[in-house]
Amino acid sequence: MKKYDVAVVGYGPVGMAMAALLGQAGHHVVVLERYAGLYNLPRAAIFDDETMRTFAKLGIAEELLPKVSAQRNYEWRNGAGDLLIEHEFALKGASGWSEWYMMYQPDLENALSALCTSLPNVEIRFNAKVDGYEDRGDEVRMNVAGAEAVSAKYVVACDGGNGTTRAKIDAELTDFGFSEPWLVCDFRLTGDARPPHARQVCDPKQPQSIISLGPDHHRFSFMLDSEADFEIERDPERVWNRVAPYLAPNQAELVRVATYTFRSLLANPWRRGRIILAGDAAHQMPPFLGQGMCSGIRDAHNLAFKLDLLLAGQAQDSILDTYQSEREPHVAAVVHKGIELGKVQTMRDPEAAAERDRQYLANRARNHNPEKLRFPGLGPGFLSSNGHPAAGHLFIQDEVRTAAGDQGRFDGIFGYGPRLLLLRSAYEEFAPENAHDIAGGDVVVVNPATGRAEAFTDVNGSYRSWFETNQCSAVLVRPDFYIFGAVRTGGEVNGLIREYDKSFAFETKIPATSGSVSA
């Protein structure tokens, strides 16, 4: 029986990201996929700047850029075409990439799969249906239909909403009651067509969604009265009649027609012993925020760096207890916000919809724009206990320039992993003996793994602004870009480092005494 560090069950984007993150960290990974190959059809359509930052960490962001479209706005219109709500997205978000990308999922899966297959310590097995688990305390043995059993120290099940792992670990589902069947129609654009790129049509007669799938593909979705309607409505002639206001047969090719029932579900628990759920296996949400796949990629990133520490002997098994405690509050907030928006979009009562329209149109007349969509930070977990409110929130990324003249996004310049960032004044207080060795720059960054310190120029002032807004002068950022903790003065940095070292037996190479950092 072959043994691995981690078995990943399911080879969609979340499973691929999970396997790639662990594989790049040097761990031996097997991926068990029940189907014969890649799904090769679009499902998710959108990802955000944090997700692109993770793709950059994996090394595929530049490959994806020509195949995706950065979207600036998201319209909600009524049946008469009146603009009710317009959400705006920046071309550069807090994570240093565009806030909204429209994609054709097979392009993403091809890039992720190519990465996984390039890693010699990642093995991918298709036609490998897992039909049983045995958690033996120090490993999990998996029965694979028609093949030899597999053993791994840990299992991460990314087998989707219809996967079997959730039931096998006796996870219960909480259903928040928002469930709607939709007809999903995907097209490849072949002619000069200009359908809306991101629009929800809030028409009580026929709620619909129109979404770009990157430069060459488009999706039209129509709410159905029941799942039974699908067999009638899937007829290609009926589909073309539905999209006739936007597309003609000489402008596009119908790629697929599917039915999809939007659901709002949370599993509990996400972990049973050495078996862990991620992505749709752990949670499902309405699509109105475009956060389904993004949430799964966040799961993978959160879990991957903790498994890395654990497998490297730098953390205890209890670090995995922080996975659900951190991620579930975040996911639950996104689920509930998606339900809130979904109820606006799918309102079928004409009188209620007319009242909704009057309210939103009145808000626009008064220039009351919708609040920018913001997601909460992490719940309690692998975070500093010093009470600084920045802990658990996503840390920014912007353009930096080193004394040597290198310029670009922070991650591209300083790499990945935990990072300690300090204002220069705080660094001088923290390590006065070394401060004179650091070439000019606004902010000093320290790599805890090596102890090396280097300053950078804050090209756009984003980091200085962040420190000022958050009333701190030093911040310790985890490998998943979330903040472990922050402190107000350089004199408090040692305490932050000691706490990070103490948490789950992690050991940095920065001794917790002033003047100990190498330049």
Side-chain angles (χ1 to χ4, degrees):
M1 180 186 302
K2 199 165 182 181
K3 298 187 177 183
Y4 301 86
D5 293 321
V6 178
V8 176
V9 181
Y11 199 50
V14 177
M16 292 174 177
M18 190 80 236
L21 287 164
L22 289 170
Q24 287 185 336
H27 304 293
H28 293 279
V29 179
V30 63
V31 180
L32 303 172
E33 169 55 57
R34 59 180 170 171
Y35 294 115
L38 298 182
Y39 189 68
N40 207 33
L41 287 171
R43 287 163 291 177
I46 297 162
F47 62 88
D48 59 17
D49 54 326
E50 180 186 348
T51 305
M52 185 59 121
R53 190 177 182 184
T54 304
F55 292 156
K57 180 177 183 177
L58 291 172
I60 64 170
E62 296 300 328
E63 177 185 350
L64 290 175
L65 279 178
K67 302 172 184 178
V68 299
S69 301
Q71 182 63 27
R72 295 297 305 272
N73 69 330
Y74 181 26
E75 298 180 343
W76 293 59
R77 293 181 179 270
N78 64 13
D82 301 318
L83 182 60
L84 304 177
I85 310 172
E86 184 174 29
H87 298 286
E88 295 183 351
F89 301 96
L91 287 178
K92 185 172 72 173
S95 287
W97 298 87
S98 293
E99 288 187 320
W100 241 37
Y101 290 99
M102 321 300 284
M103 68 154 183
Y104 184 61
Q105 186 171 324
D107 290 337
L108 171 62
E109 291 188 354
N110 288 338
L112 283 169
S113 185
L115 170 61
C116 289
T117 55
S118 74
L119 297 170
N121 50 328
V122 175
E123 180 181 338
I124 301 153
R125 298 189 186 183
F126 293 106
N127 291 313
K129 182 181 178 181
V130 179
D131 55 16
Y133 297 93
E134 181 187 0
D135 189 338
R136 303 173 68 112
D138 59 350
E139 65 175 2
V140 180
R141 293 191 178 181
M142 288 152 282
N143 295 324
V144 181
E148 183 184 9
V150 171
S151 171
K153 296 174 184 175
Y154 292 92
V155 174
V156 182
C158 309
D159 51 350
N162 295 320
T164 61
T165 308
R166 185 172 57 221
K168 292 183 185 301
I169 66 168
D170 297 323
E172 296 183 355
L173 282 175
T174 297
D175 189 337
F176 295 101
F178 188 80
S179 176
E180 304 287 357
W182 284 67
L183 180 76
V184 179
C185 312
D186 292 330
F187 295 83
R188 184 175 69 86
L189 303 180
T190 59
D192 184 20
R194 299 174 186 266
H197 276 200
R199 178 180 295 177
Q200 297 292 342
V201 181
C202 309
D203 184 352
K205 296 178 182 177
Q206 177 60 84
Q208 58 185 289
S209 173
I210 307 171
I211 294 290
S212 166
L213 302 180
D216 302 322
H217 295 82
H218 230 79
R219 170 172 294 164
F220 293 80
S221 301
F222 304 90
M223 187 176 176
L224 299 176
D225 292 326
S226 73
E227 292 183 5
D229 293 339
F230 175 66
E231 292 304 319
I232 297 172
E233 299 301 331
R234 69 184 298 177
D235 178 73
E237 184 176 351
R238 297 178 76 91
V239 170
W240 281 110
N241 287 336
R242 283 180 177 272
V243 304
Y246 307 100
L247 281 184
N250 64 343
Q251 296 175 313
E253 171 192 350
L254 181 58
V255 175
R256 74 155 185 168
V257 182
T259 185
Y260 178 65
T261 299
F262 303 154
R263 302 191 186 280
S264 50
L265 305 170
L266 281 178
N268 188 51
W270 294 8
R271 175 195 176 205
R272 185 83 69 182
R274 290 175 174 260
I275 304 173
I276 311 158
L277 306 178
D280 282 358
H283 44 74
Q284 297 173 57
M285 60 194 64
F288 302 103
L289 288 169
Q291 284 292 308
M293 187 192 77
C294 297
S295 295
I297 299 296
R298 288 189 185 95
D299 290 347
H301 204 182
N302 183 295
L303 194 51
F305 96 84
K306 293 172 181 177
L307 281 168
D308 178 37
L309 290 177
L310 181 55
L311 292 166
Q314 295 178 314
Q316 300 170 9
D317 183 80
S318 56
I319 195 171
L320 298 181
D321 293 336
T322 70
Y323 164 58
Q324 183 174 354
S325 67
E326 288 181 356
R327 290 286 304 129
E328 185 178 27
H330 185 122
V331 168
V334 175
V335 169
H336 290 303
K337 185 63 177 179
I339 292 172
E340 177 187 328
L341 291 177
K343 288 180 177 178
V344 171
Q345 205 272 357
T346 61
M347 198 173 289
R348 304 304 295 269
D349 182 280
E351 292 184 4
E355 178 58 28
R356 172 204 63 197
D357 295 354
R358 282 191 290 270
Q359 291 179 5
Y360 280 113
L361 292 171
N363 287 341
R364 287 193 60 80
R366 293 193 296 267
N367 291 319
H368 287 181
N369 295 321
E371 291 186 5
K372 190 172 179 64
L373 296 172
R374 298 189 185 280
F375 302 119
L378 301 175
F382 182 27
L383 304 169
S384 172
S385 61
N386 70 7
H388 196 284
H393 288 273
L394 183 67
F395 191 59
I396 63 168
Q397 177 182 221
D398 205 348
E399 193 171 357
V400 300
R401 183 172 60 251
T402 68
D406 296 322
Q407 185 165 331
R409 294 183 184 89
F410 177 92
D411 295 342
I413 299 297
F414 292 108
Y416 299 93
R419 293 293 183 267
L420 174 67
L421 290 88
L422 311 90
L423 291 174
R424 177 168 281 279
S425 58
Y427 182 77
E428 290 171 352
E429 184 180 2
F430 167 60
E433 294 87 347
N434 298 91
H436 65 278
D437 295 326
I438 305 296
D442 309 290
V443 184
V444 178
V445 57
V446 182
N447 182 343
T450 64
R452 178 173 175 77
E454 187 176 357
F456 65 82
T457 297
D458 181 10
V459 174
N460 298 313
S462 302
Y463 292 91
R464 295 192 305 274
S465 176
W466 187 91
F467 281 116
E468 181 179 352
T469 299
N470 289 275
Q471 298 183 340
C472 60
S473 62
V475 59
L476 185 52
V477 184
R478 309 185 326 180
D480 62 347
F481 314 134
Y482 282 80
I483 297 166
F484 173 79
V487 292
R488 299 182 186 280
T489 69
E492 298 173 274
V493 173
N494 285 327
L496 188 64
I497 293 171
R498 277 192 293 267
E499 188 176 12
Y500 194 70
D501 287 348
K502 185 179 178 181
S503 297
F504 313 108
F506 185 86
E507 293 183 4
T508 68
K509 291 190 178 181
I510 308 175
T513 57
S514 294
S516 59
V517 181
S518 62

